[in-house]
């Protein structure tokens, strides 16, 4: 069934990508020279975003997704439903493996990711994910 048929509003991916690009423009990436921006929709309609923040102690650098989940939690929590990530050229980028795990915590297997290979559920980007459900069974 299409989004229109269910009455759910269609996701404006271009607008969401623009939020990610704005976040990318605020990245602090003096060591890698590789700015990243991310943005996501929350199930209550909010939009959250983040940029990477590196550190002179290289291993302490924070991926853009760290900022996004921090903003999510600090602005009321909720579930991530749609996510996009862009590189320094504003092109669609896949989130790194660690960040797929971060996203899984707050979006679960049904979170839709915009990837260079199209729209994919997180279950296809992080198969057989370990998650909160393993700790409670
Ligand atoms: N980076 C992110 O912010 N998110 C990703 O999903 C991929 C990688 C950042 C980390 C580092 O600051 C830079 O990109 C180069 O790896």
């Amino acid at each position: 069934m299409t989004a229109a048929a269910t009455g759910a509003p269609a996701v404006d991916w271009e607008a969401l990508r623009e939020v990610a690009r704005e976040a990318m423009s605020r990245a602090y990436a003096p060591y890698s020279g590789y700015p990243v921006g991310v943005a996501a929709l929350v199930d209550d309609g909010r939009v959250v975003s983040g940029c990477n923040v590196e550190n002179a102690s290289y291993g302490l650098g924070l991926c853009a997704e760290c900022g996004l989940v921090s903003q999510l939690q600090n602005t009321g929590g909720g579930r991530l439903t749609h996510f996009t990530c862009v590189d320094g050229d504003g092109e669609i980028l896949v989130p790194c493996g660690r960040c797929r795990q971060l996203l899984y915590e707050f979006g679960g297997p049904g979170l839709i990711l915009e990837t260079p290979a199209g729209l994919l559920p997180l279950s296809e980007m992080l198969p057989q994910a370990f998650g909160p459900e393993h700790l409670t069974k």
Side-chain angles (χ1 to χ4, degrees):
M1 198 183 287
T2 64
T6 62
V11 171
D12 186 344
W13 286 102
E14 184 54 48
L16 194 62
R17 215 178 304 129
E18 203 46 45
V19 174
R21 288 183 183 127
E22 286 168 18
M24 179 273 291
S25 74
R26 295 188 285 271
Y28 177 72
Y31 306 109
S32 69
Y34 195 85
V36 176
V38 293
L41 297 180
V42 185
D43 59 358
D44 64 1
R46 270 151 55 228
V47 177
V48 289
S49 61
C51 60
N52 53 337
V53 179
E54 298 183 347
N55 194 280
S57 180
Y58 292 176
L60 300 185
L62 302 174
C63 280
E65 290 85 344
C66 297
L68 182 145
V69 298
S70 181
Q71 185 185 3
L72 172 72
Q73 192 61 27
N74 197 29
T75 57
R79 301 292 290 171
L80 300 175
T81 61
H82 301 81
F83 169 89
T84 192
C85 178
V86 299
D87 65 16
D89 294 325
E91 301 294 331
I92 298 166
L93 179 69
V94 283
C96 76
R98 178 180 183 273
C99 289
R100 294 177 199 191
Q101 184 72 37
L102 280 185
L103 294 171
Y104 188 81
E105 184 78 18
F106 297 100
L111 171 62
I112 303 298
L113 276 65
E114 185 181 47
T115 83
L119 300 180
L120 293 172
L122 184 52
S123 57
E124 288 190 34
M125 300 295 285
L126 188 68
Q128 289 198 53
F130 175 83
E133 61 277 11
H134 289 96
L135 301 177
T136 53
K137 74 166 185 162

